[in-house]
Amino acid sequence: MRARVEIRFRPGVLDPEAAAIARALGHLGFAGVRGVRRAKVLEIDLATEDADAARAEVERMCEVLLANPVIETYRIELLDRG
Amino acid sequence: MRARVEIRFRPGVLDPEAAAIARALGHLGFAGVRGVRRAKVLEIDLATEDADAARAEVERMCEVLLANPVIETYRIELLDRG
């Protein structure tokens, strides 16, 4: 089955890349940009078809590799294999 | 209003970072990982409350800055300001 993980900075954590994008958009004439936030999505194809096992496995992946829990939060969603 | 843009590589474009993540997960003992794909999400707060204007503006942003149409595709979604 397929899992989708969305990883983003916790509120209040500075994101220089998002700030640079917002600034660049302003310089390019997009005057209506009030703010930009960024997130990272990982879609992971898993051998298991058991939703509980898949969620538990992806949670462990987030804890050990995919996310930095000090500054990031993550949200796991299970998808039918697309 | 808020726009959410999801940018990902076109099918067939090599993504070394996604491949590295898949490999690292395997090394960490996650044997059930069949593949990893990556996407980037940008949430952009816009001054306009007109959905058509917002979509057109964000499409222009994608064309001139946010995406590389040679190797990436993007999908724009308009959200209520959250």
Side-chain angles (χ1 to χ4, degrees), chain A residues 5 57-69 74 76:
Chain A
V5 188
E57 198 175 4
V58 175
E59 272 190 31
R60 282 198 309 278
M61 293 178 195
C62 287
E63 283 158 20
V64 301
L65 183 74
L66 304 179
N68 177 349
Y74 58 86
I76 298 168

Side-chain angles (χ1 to χ4, degrees), chain B:
Chain B
M1 86 185 313
R2 177 171 294 174
R4 180 188 159 94
V5 188
E6 191 167 312
I7 302 161
R8 61 178 61 228
F9 285 124
R10 291 184 183 280
V13 174
L14 226 59
D15 182 349
E17 185 176 325
I21 290 169
R23 236 180 359 255
L25 289 171
H27 291 158
L28 288 167
F30 296 103
V33 174
R34 297 277 176 267
V36 174
R37 272 169 315 286
R38 212 164 39 105
K40 184 165 60 176
V41 171
L42 294 171
E43 284 172 7
I44 305 173
D45 285 331
L46 297 163
T48 181
E49 292 297 333
D50 179 291
D52 289 342
R55 184 175 293 275
E57 196 174 5
V58 174
E59 271 189 30
R60 284 200 308 280
M61 291 178 195
C62 287
E63 283 157 20
V64 301
L65 182 74
L66 304 179
N68 177 347
V70 176
I71 55 168
E72 291 173 325
T73 60
Y74 57 85
R75 197 167 52 81
I76 298 167
E77 195 184 341
L78 298 175
L79 312 169
D80 288 336
R81 202 182 292 271

Side-chain angles (χ1 to χ4, degrees), chain A:
Chain A
M1 89 186 310
R2 179 171 292 175
R4 181 188 157 93
V5 188
E6 192 167 312
I7 301 159
R8 61 178 62 229
F9 285 124
R10 291 184 182 280
V13 175
L14 226 61
D15 183 348
E17 185 176 324
I21 291 170
R23 236 180 359 254
L25 288 171
H27 292 158
L28 288 166
F30 295 103
V33 174
R34 296 278 178 266
V36 174
R37 269 168 318 285
R38 211 165 40 105
K40 184 164 61 175
V41 171
L42 294 171
E43 284 173 8
I44 305 174
D45 285 332
L46 297 164
T48 181
E49 291 298 333
D50 180 290
D52 289 342
R55 184 175 292 275
E57 198 175 4
V58 175
E59 272 190 31
R60 282 198 309 278
M61 293 178 195
C62 287
E63 283 158 20
V64 301
L65 183 74
L66 304 179
N68 177 349
V70 177
I71 55 169
E72 291 172 327
T73 61
Y74 58 86
R75 197 167 53 83
I76 298 168
E77 195 184 341
L78 298 175
L79 312 169
D80 288 336
R81 204 183 289 275

